[in-house]
Amino acid sequence: MVRDALKVMKTTLDKVKGMVEFFHKSTRATEKLKSTQRQMDMPELRLKQDCATRWNSTLYMLKRVLESKDAIISTLALINAHIDALDQEEWEALQETCTVLEPFEQVTVEISSE
């Protein structure tokens, strides 16, 4: 059900996945992201990739990207990366998506523990 609902924002999710994949494939970009996080007094968080078989991995990916938003934006600008950037509206949509998905995550964790 959640996977079907996420299809509505496929374009934005594809941009996020591309961004995360870019950082995972580029050691230089990952090191620059860590450096930027340190300079901004942020925790050095590694971006998470989602897994097609686990819907909640998409939620974890989105949360991590939002936690590192400012560092990601700065890093992409500094290294002049040629990837599709998110606009302000898309960043807001990611935040709203996380808020909507939180109760589903709580239920999933509860059911999985039984």
Side-chain angles (χ1 to χ4, degrees), residues 42-100:
M42 298 171 70
E44 289 181 39
L45 301 173
R46 184 173 161 89
L47 299 181
K48 296 182 178 186
Q49 288 183 297
D50 71 338
C51 171
T53 58
R54 300 189 60 160
W55 78 264
N56 51 356
S57 68
T58 302
L59 174 62
Y60 302 147
M61 175 184 68
L62 297 179
K63 283 178 157 183
R64 183 57 56 89
V65 165
L66 286 166
E67 287 176 281
S68 302
K69 173 186 172 184
D70 293 334
I72 290 169
I73 292 169
S74 294
T75 302
L76 291 175
L78 286 169
I79 62 174
N80 202 13
H82 298 289
I83 62 170
D84 287 335
L86 298 174
D87 60 30
Q88 186 58 35
E89 191 174 293
E90 290 171 316
W91 283 108
E92 290 169 8
L94 292 184
Q95 185 63 56
E96 290 174 24
T97 300
C98 287
T99 302
V100 169

Side-chain angles (χ1 to χ4, degrees), residues 3-4 6 25 31 36 58 87-88 91 94 96 102 105:
R3 280 272 174 228
D4 287 343
L6 289 172
K25 287 183 176 181
E31 288 305 314
T36 304
T58 302
D87 60 30
Q88 186 58 35
W91 283 108
L94 292 184
E96 290 174 24
E102 279 295 327
E105 168 63 6

